Amino acid sequence: MVGTMAPLPPFIRPGRMHRTPRPAAAVPADDEVLLDVPDDRLAPALVAAARGEHGPASALLAATRADADWESRDRYTRRLAGFARSRGEWLEAWHAAAPRDPDALLVEAQLAVDRAWDSPARAELLREVSPLITAAARGDDRDPVPWRIALDHARGARAGHKYFEELWEAAMRRAPLHYGCHVAALCYLADSWRGSHPECFDFADLAAQDAPADSLVQALPARAALSYLADGSGAGVARERLDAAADRAIALSARFPAADPWPAEIRNKLMYVLLRLERWEDARAQLGLIGPYATSYPWDRVSDDPLAAFLRARDEIHSAGPAQPSGHPLGGRAGRARPRGH
């Protein structure tokens, strides 16, 4: 599987970065830490959706499509679909007003996959969702996000490798550096090769090596490291490989502004990895860059209260030192793999 999926179009490979990130000036108090805060573009769309209005969400996703801003489009689609799970009137009104709108179709496809994912009849329900994903993919042929949804769908439906590779190739033709598609492929490989983490690292490392230094794909090896450290089973991965994965993500994190909701998604995952590796100084640096922005994933893998888990991890990082081994309170339980854990 790695041999057929991993190759990407050639890119210039820039040298490794050696920036030292500058932490935020002050550590937020516990009651100042917020969970899953939307950025300044998404927040107005969510506020309007709470009032039953779909216009701002429509405008937001249309702008990402016009700009070919596929990473933002993917994030916003997942967040809007998550909101629609509990308050969906605005999406229903949007569909009624514009049943062929490619942006509405995209959110509907993501919502359908999310709803099916938590059901005991997941595979059967996901098969019924296929037409929605097909309709979303036809909305704009440039858009890789329906193909990322299709990759998640194939993993949940336990599709065979040949079919998954066809989806992967279609996604890569559209956006060879799309991070969400790479994470979906990594998760599929992890499920297919249960306990074979080195093979997953092979895929992640090759993708990162062939990506520019500012690509989100640079965080893919750290995502593989997170899965390995949280899994607690399977074939071993050398410590040097885990450290190298963390180093790549640290270099990527240094390219983004501090205390910003969007890079906080990458930094929360990186902080988990650094904590488990007991790299305390690097973990403290990421905490400073995270600021007040916790994210549900990866902390919902270890607790039903992800905010509390984040705060416990933060306390451990601040109190630990180079000579103080961790008791790893994060290792309490392994959460169910979810399609939103990108």
PDB file of all heavy atoms in Angstrom, residues 44 46-53 56 83 87 90:
ATOM      1  N   PRO A  44     -18.493  34.453  12.729  1.00  0.00           N
ATOM      2  CA  PRO A  44     -19.756  35.074  12.299  1.00  0.00           C
ATOM      3  C   PRO A  44     -20.705  34.098  11.612  1.00  0.00           C
ATOM      4  O   PRO A  44     -21.931  34.216  11.748  1.00  0.00           O
ATOM      5  CB  PRO A  44     -19.300  36.179  11.339  1.00  0.00           C
ATOM      6  CG  PRO A  44     -17.874  36.444  11.688  1.00  0.00           C
ATOM      7  CD  PRO A  44     -17.323  35.126  12.123  1.00  0.00           C
ATOM      8  N   LEU A  46     -21.022  30.896  12.307  1.00  0.00           N
ATOM      9  CA  LEU A  46     -21.645  30.085  13.348  1.00  0.00           C
ATOM     10  C   LEU A  46     -22.700  30.882  14.113  1.00  0.00           C
ATOM     11  O   LEU A  46     -23.762  30.348  14.463  1.00  0.00           O
ATOM     12  CB  LEU A  46     -20.586  29.555  14.306  1.00  0.00           C
ATOM     13  CG  LEU A  46     -19.608  28.533  13.716  1.00  0.00           C
ATOM     14  CD1 LEU A  46     -18.544  28.162  14.744  1.00  0.00           C
ATOM     15  CD2 LEU A  46     -20.341  27.276  13.242  1.00  0.00           C
ATOM     16  N   VAL A  47     -22.417  32.137  14.386  1.00  0.00           N
ATOM     17  CA  VAL A  47     -23.402  32.986  15.081  1.00  0.00           C
ATOM     18  C   VAL A  47     -24.670  33.119  14.235  1.00  0.00           C
ATOM     19  O   VAL A  47     -25.794  33.006  14.744  1.00  0.00           O
ATOM     20  CB  VAL A  47     -22.795  34.372  15.383  1.00  0.00           C
ATOM     21  CG1 VAL A  47     -23.870  35.334  15.886  1.00  0.00           C
ATOM     22  CG2 VAL A  47     -21.682  34.249  16.424  1.00  0.00           C
ATOM     23  N   ALA A  48     -24.486  33.344  12.940  1.00  0.00           N
ATOM     24  CA  ALA A  48     -25.652  33.456  12.058  1.00  0.00           C
ATOM     25  C   ALA A  48     -26.404  32.129  11.979  1.00  0.00           C
ATOM     26  O   ALA A  48     -27.643  32.106  11.982  1.00  0.00           O
ATOM     27  CB  ALA A  48     -25.206  33.900  10.668  1.00  0.00           C
ATOM     28  N   ALA A  49     -25.675  31.018  11.904  1.00  0.00           N
ATOM     29  CA  ALA A  49     -26.329  29.714  11.854  1.00  0.00           C
ATOM     30  C   ALA A  49     -27.154  29.464  13.103  1.00  0.00           C
ATOM     31  O   ALA A  49     -28.235  28.862  13.040  1.00  0.00           O
ATOM     32  CB  ALA A  49     -25.283  28.614  11.681  1.00  0.00           C
ATOM     33  N   ALA A  50     -26.679  29.942  14.246  1.00  0.00           N
ATOM     34  CA  ALA A  50     -27.445  29.801  15.482  1.00  0.00           C
ATOM     35  C   ALA A  50     -28.765  30.553  15.400  1.00  0.00           C
ATOM     36  O   ALA A  50     -29.733  30.196  16.084  1.00  0.00           O
ATOM     37  CB  ALA A  50     -26.624  30.296  16.668  1.00  0.00           C
ATOM     38  N   ARG A  51     -28.819  31.574  14.567  1.00  0.00           N
ATOM     39  CA  ARG A  51     -30.067  32.324  14.349  1.00  0.00           C
ATOM     40  C   ARG A  51     -30.883  31.724  13.213  1.00  0.00           C
ATOM     41  O   ARG A  51     -31.940  32.263  12.856  1.00  0.00           O
ATOM     42  CB  ARG A  51     -29.752  33.784  14.022  1.00  0.00           C
ATOM     43  CG  ARG A  51     -29.038  34.551  15.115  1.00  0.00           C
ATOM     44  CD  ARG A  51     -29.101  36.047  14.827  1.00  0.00           C
ATOM     45  NE  ARG A  51     -28.459  36.373  13.566  1.00  0.00           N
ATOM     46  CZ  ARG A  51     -27.218  36.854  13.444  1.00  0.00           C
ATOM     47  NH1 ARG A  51     -26.467  37.031  14.542  1.00  0.00           N
ATOM     48  NH2 ARG A  51     -26.714  37.133  12.263  1.00  0.00           N
ATOM     49  N   GLY A  52     -30.405  30.632  12.621  1.00  0.00           N
ATOM     50  CA  GLY A  52     -31.115  29.997  11.514  1.00  0.00           C
ATOM     51  C   GLY A  52     -30.776  30.568  10.160  1.00  0.00           C
ATOM     52  O   GLY A  52     -31.440  30.249   9.169  1.00  0.00           O
ATOM     53  N   GLU A  53     -29.716  31.399  10.068  1.00  0.00           N
ATOM     54  CA  GLU A  53     -29.356  32.058   8.814  1.00  0.00           C
ATOM     55  C   GLU A  53     -28.166  31.347   8.175  1.00  0.00           C
ATOM     56  O   GLU A  53     -27.148  31.119   8.826  1.00  0.00           O
ATOM     57  CB  GLU A  53     -29.000  33.524   9.084  1.00  0.00           C
ATOM     58  CG  GLU A  53     -30.126  34.312   9.743  1.00  0.00           C
ATOM     59  CD  GLU A  53     -29.662  35.669  10.250  1.00  0.00           C
ATOM     60  OE1 GLU A  53     -28.499  36.043   9.950  1.00  0.00           O
ATOM     61  OE2 GLU A  53     -30.432  36.349  10.938  1.00  0.00           O
ATOM     62  N   PRO A  56     -24.119  33.766   5.798  1.00  0.00           N
ATOM     63  CA  PRO A  56     -22.684  33.897   6.089  1.00  0.00           C
ATOM     64  C   PRO A  56     -21.899  32.601   5.878  1.00  0.00           C
ATOM     65  O   PRO A  56     -20.769  32.635   5.394  1.00  0.00           O
ATOM     66  CB  PRO A  56     -22.668  34.327   7.561  1.00  0.00           C
ATOM     67  CG  PRO A  56     -23.955  35.072   7.734  1.00  0.00           C
ATOM     68  CD  PRO A  56     -24.946  34.309   6.912  1.00  0.00           C
ATOM     69  N   PHE A  83     -21.595  21.733  13.862  1.00  0.00           N
ATOM     70  CA  PHE A  83     -22.641  22.587  14.425  1.00  0.00           C
ATOM     71  C   PHE A  83     -24.022  22.115  13.977  1.00  0.00           C
ATOM     72  O   PHE A  83     -24.982  22.119  14.763  1.00  0.00           O
ATOM     73  CB  PHE A  83     -22.407  24.038  13.998  1.00  0.00           C
ATOM     74  CG  PHE A  83     -23.334  25.016  14.650  1.00  0.00           C
ATOM     75  CD1 PHE A  83     -23.094  25.476  15.931  1.00  0.00           C
ATOM     76  CD2 PHE A  83     -24.460  25.483  13.986  1.00  0.00           C
ATOM     77  CE1 PHE A  83     -23.959  26.382  16.538  1.00  0.00           C
ATOM     78  CE2 PHE A  83     -25.324  26.384  14.577  1.00  0.00           C
ATOM     79  CZ  PHE A  83     -25.071  26.827  15.860  1.00  0.00           C
ATOM     80  N   ARG A  87     -27.897  21.683  15.597  1.00  0.00           N
ATOM     81  CA  ARG A  87     -28.765  22.783  15.163  1.00  0.00           C
ATOM     82  C   ARG A  87     -28.680  22.859  13.647  1.00  0.00           C
ATOM     83  O   ARG A  87     -27.835  23.570  13.097  1.00  0.00           O
ATOM     84  CB  ARG A  87     -28.327  24.094  15.811  1.00  0.00           C
ATOM     85  CG  ARG A  87     -28.285  24.018  17.327  1.00  0.00           C
ATOM     86  CD  ARG A  87     -27.995  25.352  17.981  1.00  0.00           C
ATOM     87  NE  ARG A  87     -29.062  26.299  17.782  1.00  0.00           N
ATOM     88  CZ  ARG A  87     -29.106  27.500  18.383  1.00  0.00           C
ATOM     89  NH1 ARG A  87     -28.151  27.878  19.212  1.00  0.00           N
ATOM     90  NH2 ARG A  87     -30.112  28.323  18.163  1.00  0.00           N
ATOM     91  N   TRP A  90     -30.620  25.843   9.811  1.00  0.00           N
ATOM     92  CA  TRP A  90     -30.003  26.740   8.822  1.00  0.00           C
ATOM     93  C   TRP A  90     -29.528  25.960   7.596  1.00  0.00           C
ATOM     94  O   TRP A  90     -29.638  26.454   6.463  1.00  0.00           O
ATOM     95  CB  TRP A  90     -28.832  27.482   9.463  1.00  0.00           C
ATOM     96  CG  TRP A  90     -27.755  26.549   9.951  1.00  0.00           C
ATOM     97  CD1 TRP A  90     -27.716  25.870  11.123  1.00  0.00           C
ATOM     98  CD2 TRP A  90     -26.587  26.157   9.235  1.00  0.00           C
ATOM     99  NE1 TRP A  90     -26.589  25.083  11.203  1.00  0.00           N
ATOM    100  CE2 TRP A  90     -25.876  25.251  10.054  1.00  0.00           C
ATOM    101  CE3 TRP A  90     -26.056  26.490   7.982  1.00  0.00           C
ATOM    102  CZ2 TRP A  90     -24.664  24.673   9.660  1.00  0.00           C
ATOM    103  CZ3 TRP A  90     -24.850  25.917   7.590  1.00  0.00           C
ATOM    104  CH2 TRP A  90     -24.169  25.020   8.431  1.00  0.00           C
TER     105      TRP A  90
END
